[in-house]
Amino acid sequence: MKIPGPHSKALGLRLRAREQRNVTFLADDFPIFWDSARGAIVTDVDGNDYIDCTAAFGVASLGHGNPRVAFAVADQAQRLMHGMGDVHPTEIRVRLLDRLAAILPDTLTKAFLATSGSEAIEAALKTAMLFTGKSRFASYRGGYHGLSFGALAVSGLERFRTPFAGVLRHEPVLLEYPRSTANADEAASRAREQLQPTDDIAALVVEPIQGRGGCIVPPPGYLQHVATICRELNIVLIVDEIFTGFARTGTWFASEYEGIVPDIICIGKAMGSGVPISAAVGRANVMDAWPPSTGEALHTSTFLGNPLGCAAALATLDEMELLALPARAARLGERLGARLEALRAHSIVRDVRGRGMLWGVELRDAGAAFAAVKNALTRGVIVAQSGQHGSVIAISPPLVIEDRQLERAIAVLESSIGAVA
Ligand SMILES: Cc1ncc(COP(=O)(O)O)c(C=O)c1O
């Protein structure tokens, strides 16, 4: 397929003139402009169809344009598009909070709703400071939690922090994120050695599988050790499930698979199927570190608990339950993983890792990964480049992807990697 087509190219020129130039990478052969999408299929402005193996940053887990979600959002838009965040709340916000409490572990009962993933992280970090009276954070090399200042304060990706280091005065205690083949006990001992000597750490933030860091899966049992260490050192454990949550890795939440219950869980992305909504949900005693409101919230935002986001999230949860998406992700993920493992036969493939419907194929270098991503695009498959150094191809399709679409996508990926090799 010859892409980008003329309409994408023309839009590229207009975007170049108007958008801050750091936002979108624009080249002769990249990107395509999306026009519409349904299920796992995206159609660009030139009428070309693609199989989306990114779920658009992990948001479209339920597939693009789910009709029930679209209807619920449209219906809510007719009734009430916006409430008053921290002053006059809405009925639908209460319903969503009840619903979240019902699918999360019993102890995670009190939530702070927000719009983006970064905002959920900000709320969790502030909560940990209030709860512990401490003000430093620990996190992981390669970890990604968003790009607002609070989220940057725990970022483990140097390139995002460096230009803004002037504001980020406190470096986080950065731990090594162990790979699945590492010894969990030894990795946990090293984490303890780094955390124990300082008594000023309010929270440790961790992704149960590092997404943007290159789809890195920790060894079994490691996160249980980490939970124990946090408990012993009075460190609030914040598990960032913004990417891994809502069935992505084969269970409702990845921490469930790991057998841990965090003090605070951060969720977003797939929660609203594309309508921005996120949350930090924690144990009641931790969340109650915030004083009762006396009329002015210490942390809030205009769009807190926005009714359209709530309607989208409620319909998303209904659909996910109806379609038994965690089990579907686990089943499809077994097959996807087995097929991706076979890619190791190519000499440029360094590693294949993942769980459920979140996988990474690490290539020789970033150049090879981007070449494979672009090659797959010309063959009608959208995958993303990822990893600390950009050398990973990330595969995170909608969980409703049809068997034959998944087969086709894997075949294309294989031949694209072959072409680059
Ligand atoms: C694990 C994780 N946390 C936080 C974020 C930030 O979310 P947002 O981009 O909605 O601020 C992301 C986004 O990719 C993410 O993958």
Side-chain angles (χ1 to χ4, degrees):
M1 184 169 17
K2 192 113 181 67
I3 55 157
H7 291 99
S8 277
K9 280 200 163 157
L11 286 169
L13 290 176
R14 285 171 58 193
L15 196 67
R16 192 191 291 279
R18 294 288 177 210
E19 190 176 62
Q20 184 262 86
R21 65 184 182 178
N22 183 251
V23 175
T24 309
F25 172 73
L26 294 163
D28 284 347
D29 56 354
F30 203 84
I32 48 145
F33 282 69
W34 291 19
D35 180 60
S36 59
R38 185 50 67 98
I41 300 296
V42 169
T43 305
D44 75 7
V45 288
D46 292 285
N48 302 309
D49 286 342
Y50 306 83
I51 301 171
D52 175 17
C53 283
T54 67
F57 303 132
V59 168
S61 287
L62 195 53
H64 292 279
N66 177 282
R68 277 202 183 195
V69 177
F71 177 81
V73 173
D75 189 49
Q76 182 63 41
Q78 304 267 353
R79 184 186 308 268
L80 180 72
M81 275 198 210
H82 181 62
M84 280 183 79
D86 57 312
V87 179
H88 297 297
T90 58
E91 180 269 343
I92 196 161
R93 184 159 118 211
V94 180
R95 256 195 294 145
L96 176 61
L97 292 170
D98 280 345
R99 193 78 160 76
L100 284 176
I103 65 153
L104 284 164
D106 290 347
T107 48
L108 301 181
T109 54
K110 287 216 170 174
F112 180 93
L113 291 173
T115 320
S116 67
S118 321
E119 283 177 275
I121 296 286
E122 304 277 336
L125 295 175
K126 281 190 176 177
T127 304
M129 288 179 72
L130 293 180
F131 182 68
T132 61
K134 301 187 271 184
S135 57
R136 241 181 123 198
F137 301 112
S139 54
Y140 283 86
R141 270 182 222 295
Y144 183 82
H145 307 287
L147 298 180
S148 57
F149 277 123
L152 263 188
V154 290
S155 175
L157 292 166
E158 284 298 313
R159 63 181 182 279
F160 294 120
R161 293 175 57 85
T162 308
F164 308 105
V167 174
L168 307 167
R169 282 188 302 122
H170 289 302
E171 286 280 317
V173 173
L174 275 184
L175 310 177
E176 285 305 323
Y177 198 90
R179 296 189 173 231
S180 60
T181 47
N183 180 305
D185 295 356
E186 287 169 14
S189 297
R190 282 194 296 277
R192 183 187 285 277
E193 279 163 23
Q194 278 185 271
L195 296 170
Q196 203 149 25
T198 60
D199 58 4
D200 56 352
I201 297 177
L204 171 67
V205 189
V206 62
E207 292 162 86
I209 293 180
Q210 275 194 342
R212 186 109 178 224
C215 202
I216 303 184
V217 183
Y222 173 73
L223 290 175
Q224 289 191 3
H225 284 307
V226 166
T228 305
I229 294 168
C230 285
R231 213 166 28 249
E232 288 173 8
L233 301 180
N234 187 29
I235 294 172
V236 172
L237 177 63
I238 300 173
V239 173
D240 179 347
E241 294 242 25
I242 289 163
F243 202 164
T244 53
F246 298 104
R248 171 59 49 198
T249 66
T251 45
W252 273 110
F253 297 96
S255 32
E256 204 177 307
Y257 177 93
E258 298 286 349
I260 58 165
V261 178
D263 295 309
I264 303 176
I265 190 170
C266 292
I267 50 180
K269 285 193 187 279
M271 182 174 169
S273 291
V275 182
I277 184 153
S278 65
V281 192
R283 296 181 195 274
N285 64 322
V286 175
M287 299 305 273
D288 284 349
W290 293 90
S293 173
T294 53
E296 178 126 75
L298 292 174
H299 187 75
T300 181
S301 70
T302 305
F303 296 109
L304 181 150
N306 171 264
L308 298 183
C310 291
L314 282 164
T316 296
L317 285 169
D318 282 349
E319 275 289 88
M320 285 186 165
E321 242 166 32
L322 200 71
L323 300 173
L325 274 201
R328 183 177 169 82
R331 179 177 66 74
L332 283 179
E334 291 266 309
R335 211 173 67 235
L336 176 61
R339 296 289 310 278
L340 294 176
E341 283 290 339
L343 296 176
R344 289 182 191 268
H346 292 278
S347 61
I348 60 164
V349 173
R350 292 282 144 82
D351 196 14
V352 176
R353 55 205 179 222
R355 191 169 70 238
M357 293 289 270
L358 180 55
W359 285 82
V361 177
E362 184 167 354
L363 301 191
R364 187 182 53 211
D365 54 40
F370 191 40
V373 165
K374 286 196 292 189
N375 188 290
L377 195 64
T378 64
R379 296 168 195 229
V381 171
I382 302 174
V383 283
Q385 194 180 0
S386 166
Q388 272 204 61
H389 308 291
S391 57
V392 178
I393 302 175
I395 299 124
S396 58
L399 309 179
V400 297
I401 190 169
E402 293 169 14
D403 289 2
R404 62 184 174 83
Q405 292 169 334
L406 191 58
E407 284 301 323
R408 164 89 189 135
I410 297 166
V412 164
L413 190 61
E414 167 148 41
S415 58
S416 295
I417 289 174
V420 172

